[in-house]
Amino acid sequence: MMEGKVWQNLIDAGCSAAFIEHYAALPADEQLSCLKRHRWYLLDAIHDKQLQLDRLDYLLYVLQKRGDEGK
């Protein structure tokens, strides 16, 4: 049985119920690897969002510059 604090931490970290159940069912020696894989997944998602944000910022910059040149 998993400690309540670990369960709550996984919930607070945004892990789904399915992920938590999968994690809890793993042998202890595989749980760390599972968490590391999930961390990489989350980090990739952050990088994807950062790239989207950078592209939007560039578009805003170009459009603002174009607007400033028209004055």
Side-chain angles (χ1 to χ4, degrees):
M1 179 83 181
M2 187 168 36
E3 283 184 48
K5 289 182 181 182
V6 173
W7 189 277
Q8 186 61 50
N9 193 272
L10 291 170
I11 290 170
D12 292 346
C15 296
S16 68
F19 175 86
I20 295 171
E21 288 176 19
H22 171 75
Y23 170 83
L26 290 173
D29 62 336
E30 293 180 27
Q31 288 179 337
L32 186 59
S33 293
C34 178
L35 291 179
K36 286 181 178 181
R37 282 190 307 273
H38 191 65
R39 184 184 184 284
W40 280 109
Y41 167 79
L42 293 175
L43 190 57
D44 283 343
I46 288 171
H47 290 155
D48 290 343
K49 292 299 179 187
Q50 182 63 54
L51 183 58
Q52 291 173 349
L53 184 59
D54 290 344
R55 289 177 176 164
L56 183 58
D57 285 345
Y58 176 73
L59 178 60
L60 287 167
Y61 167 78
V62 168
L63 293 175
Q64 280 183 314
K65 189 160 179 69
R66 188 180 302 161
D68 290 344
E69 290 174 355
K71 291 182 181 179

